[in-house]
Each structure stands twice: as structure tokens, then as C-alpha cells.
Amino acid sequence: MKNIILVGKPNSGKSLLFNQLTGLRQKVANFPGVTVELKSGTFDQYKLVDFPGTYSLKSLSRDEELAIEKLHEAMLSDETSLVVCNLDATRLESSLVFGLQVRDLALQHNKGIIFALNMIDEVQRFGHEIDTEKLATDLGCAVFALSAKTLIGLHEFKL
């Protein structure tokens, strides 16, 4: 079974997305550091692996250092077929800093990458929009606007 790895910043809805896709109930809370180990579940014919949240590929703490080491190991594995990078739509600029680092790492290791633009419901609630087609063109890979909380766009999310 091939692996899909799910990465993102802490407190960005990543673990909730993991739960929605796998049907599991991994602990979710509104503070960084809840996912401090790798969690996995089944999604379609894949093993989906939820990585601990990190702010950057340059570690600021021992927890981040371990998560980044595991991410590099996953990139070297033939079992890893795709990286899903969860972006916080409400904090897109800061999420993209990490997202671009992950995209470059994935491309360096010939791994597919897509972006899940999570929390789009919060952006819409304030009457804003994000041009996902333009963002996808700029990033060079697919971008899916969704909300793991309200399930907006989750059915269109295809891997």
C-alpha cells in the first residue's frame, strides 16, 4: 500500500482533515503540538500518514526537528507516493512559506504534491475569496479549497 503524507503548520486544521479522510478520531485541539507523533489511517487504497505540525523545515524545537527528520525519511521512501500540504486559508501568506519549502523538497525527491487550502469557510464567512486556479498556476500543482470542519469541498478533493 502506497503512502500519502499529510503535512502542515500547527493549528491549521490538518489533523481534522486527516480524521475526515480516514474516518478516525485522532485527538484535535486548538493549540500547537497536539499531533506529536505520526498517525496513520486508510484513505481509499492509500495509507494516509499525519505528520506533526511544523512551522518551517528549519527546526525551532526538538519536536519540530524530529518531525522534519521523519519527513526527510518519508521523502526517501519508495512507499511515499504523494505529499498533501495543508495550508491555512486564513493565514495564507505564512502557510505558503512552509508550503513552498515542502513543495521544493517533494519535487527534489520526485514526489507528487498537492495543496489543501483548509479553513476556506472562515475566508468565505468574511466575504473574501481566494483564486485557487491562479494559486495553482503560480505553485505549479493542484490546490483544493476546502473546510475539514464544515466539509466544504471535501467531496471534490481528489488525490
Side-chain angles (χ1 to χ4, degrees), residues 3-7 35-39 49-54 56-57 59 62-77 80 83 98 105 109 111:
N3 295 342
I4 296 173
I5 59 174
L6 177 60
V7 298
T35 307
V36 292
E37 57 187 35
L38 302 181
K39 302 284 185 175
V49 183
D50 185 12
F51 277 68
T54 58
S56 169
L57 291 184
S59 63
R62 181 66 182 139
D63 286 346
E64 275 191 329
E65 187 178 321
L66 292 172
I68 294 164
E69 285 174 15
K70 292 292 184 188
L71 177 59
H72 283 282
E73 287 174 18
M75 291 296 180
L76 293 172
S77 171
T80 301
V83 178
F98 176 69
L105 182 65
H109 290 281
K111 305 294 182 190

Side-chain angles (χ1 to χ4, degrees), residues 34 41-42 50-51 69 85 100 108 112 119 129 134 139 156:
V34 173
T42 303
D50 185 12
F51 277 68
E69 285 174 15
C85 186
L100 290 170
Q108 180 182 24
M119 297 193 220
E129 291 183 24
K134 172 92 168 79
L139 292 172
E156 292 81 17

Side-chain angles (χ1 to χ4, degrees), residues 70-115:
K70 292 292 184 188
L71 177 59
H72 283 282
E73 287 174 18
M75 291 296 180
L76 293 172
S77 171
D78 290 337
E79 294 300 311
T80 301
S81 61
L82 181 68
V83 178
V84 176
C85 186
N86 185 75
L87 302 175
D88 180 346
T90 67
R91 293 173 180 87
L92 186 55
E93 186 174 333
S94 65
S95 287
L96 278 172
V97 171
F98 176 69
L100 290 170
Q101 292 174 340
V102 172
R103 181 202 62 186
D104 292 347
L105 182 65
L107 294 176
Q108 180 182 24
H109 290 281
N110 296 315
K111 305 294 182 190
I113 181 164
I114 62 173
F115 290 94

